[in-house]
Amino acid sequence: LSDEPLAITSAGTYILSGSTNAGVTVNSNGNVRLLLNGTAISNTDGTAITIEKANLAVIETASGSQNTLTDSASRSDEDHDAVIYATGDVTFAGSGTLTIDAQFKHGIMSTRNLTIDSGTYTITSNVGNAIKADLNLTVNDGTIAVPNSEEGMEAPLVTINDGTIDIYATDDGINGSESDLNSSPVIT
């Protein structure tokens, strides 16, 4: 990484290391896997990582790696209101650590489905949700710490299959926000 914006437009696996204050944008018709391997990604005018388009987007932390992401407290595009903003499905995995510090609003936001399969996450959001999805939020495993947030996790349907989750929230810790679903929230 460098202090030039990184735009990913082709399918594939991208190994990211180093630091940037210009953010990363994904806009691809194929599957994109971002492997974070010792990164410090921020953006002085928006999100750290924006996934505008991808058939399948995976953000993975490399084994033993420490990664930090921060967004700006103000921005020209306020619709992209998270450190990681995805306009489609996004999956998180890996065996490294990802620390997210939300300055504007949310830590992680997906306009569709968000899945956490593995990894260690510390997400702070003083004015928004640590993790938010507009459709389904599924935690299959991993360690998630939210030391400060308005709401820890929010989606119409939240499914927690496994993992360790520690949330401090000034509103709801876990919010299954859809009142019209025919099913109950799922915690197994």
Side-chain angles (χ1 to χ4, degrees), residues 64-128:
S65 68
Q66 301 284 327
N67 304 279
T68 60
L69 303 177
T70 305
D71 63 347
S72 61
S74 62
R75 59 196 65 204
S76 56
D77 186 354
E78 293 187 359
D79 290 336
H80 292 186
D81 56 357
V83 177
I84 300 172
Y85 186 88
T87 59
D89 297 346
V90 62
T91 298
F92 291 82
S95 54
T97 299
L98 179 57
T99 301
I100 296 174
D101 184 15
Q103 298 294 308
F104 185 74
K105 194 166 184 182
H106 306 304
I108 303 170
M109 169 67 194
S110 171
T111 62
R112 294 197 43 83
N113 300 301
L114 193 154
T115 303
I116 298 175
D117 284 335
S118 56
T120 301
Y121 307 89
T122 301
I123 306 168
T124 301
S125 176
N126 295 328
V127 295

Side-chain angles (χ1 to χ4, degrees), residues 6 10 23 60 62 70-71 88 100 107 109 123 126 141 168-169 177 187:
L6 175 60
S10 297
E60 183 176 344
T70 305
D71 63 347
I100 296 174
M109 169 67 194
I123 306 168
N126 295 328
D141 205 353
Y168 175 81
S177 58
I187 300 177

Side-chain angles (χ1 to χ4, degrees), residues 6-29:
L6 175 60
I8 295 171
T9 58
S10 297
T13 296
Y14 296 84
I15 301 171
L16 306 181
S17 61
S19 63
T20 183
N21 63 6
V24 175
T25 301
V26 174
N27 192 342
S28 170
N29 289 325

Side-chain angles (χ1 to χ4, degrees), residues 112-175:
R112 294 197 43 83
N113 300 301
L114 193 154
T115 303
I116 298 175
D117 284 335
S118 56
T120 301
Y121 307 89
T122 301
I123 306 168
T124 301
S125 176
N126 295 328
V127 295
N129 300 320
I131 305 170
K132 183 176 182 185
D134 282 349
L135 294 179
N136 299 308
L137 170 57
T138 303
V139 178
N140 290 319
D141 205 353
T143 301
I144 302 167
V146 179
N148 196 23
S149 68
E150 182 179 329
E151 293 196 350
M153 302 168 84
E154 180 181 7
L157 181 61
V158 178
T159 303
I160 300 172
N161 294 315
D162 204 348
T164 302
I165 302 170
D166 182 18
I167 297 173
Y168 175 81
T170 57
D171 193 356
D172 298 325
I174 300 173
N175 182 353

